[in-house]
Amino acid sequence: MKKLFISCPMKGRTEENIKNSMSRMHKIAELVFDQELEAIDTYIPNEAPDGVNRGVWYLGESIKRMAAADYFIGIGWSEVFKGCEIERTAANAYGIP
């Protein structure tokens, strides 16, 4: 089964809210790509280590997971959601539809 990377804003949101958004996005992606897809778990529950830029650390963990993706779906691309914009750019640059 093909794998789906879901890019979703997380900063300041509850785990439940994030996972609900991801579930809806997963369903949309299956309609868009016209196939059943396995969602890559992109929710990162771990705390960033002390002494690092938290945003960059979480983005790095996310990009690692994108390496397994066959497809990409995302929302929230703007200066407010910098990580989502970078994930979209990486998906485009590396040919992940």
Side-chain angles (χ1 to χ4, degrees):
M1 181 180 301
K2 300 284 185 172
K3 293 183 179 181
L4 173 67
F5 181 93
I6 301 169
S7 177
C8 178
M10 296 186 194
K11 185 176 182 179
R13 299 175 68 200
T14 65
E15 180 178 351
E16 179 182 10
N17 185 269
I18 292 165
K19 290 193 174 191
N20 285 338
S21 292
M22 288 181 165
S23 177
R24 288 190 304 271
M25 293 170 71
H26 185 182
K27 291 173 186 171
I28 292 167
E30 289 184 332
L31 291 171
V32 168
F33 296 115
D34 194 29
Q35 62 185 290
E36 189 175 335
L37 299 168
E38 177 186 344
I40 296 168
D41 186 3
T42 55
Y43 179 77
I44 301 165
N46 306 25
E47 287 294 320
D50 290 336
V52 302
N53 180 307
R54 293 173 48 82
V56 174
W57 185 86
Y58 283 111
L59 179 61
E61 294 299 303
S62 180
I63 296 291
K64 285 182 203 176
R65 295 173 187 205
M66 188 188 293
D70 298 296
Y71 293 99
F72 173 93
I73 189 169
I75 60 171
W77 303 317
S78 72
E79 288 185 23
V80 175
F81 304 114
K82 296 173 193 160
C84 293
E85 177 64 22
I86 293 168
E87 289 169 349
R88 182 191 64 78
T89 299
N92 285 338
Y94 287 92
I96 302 170

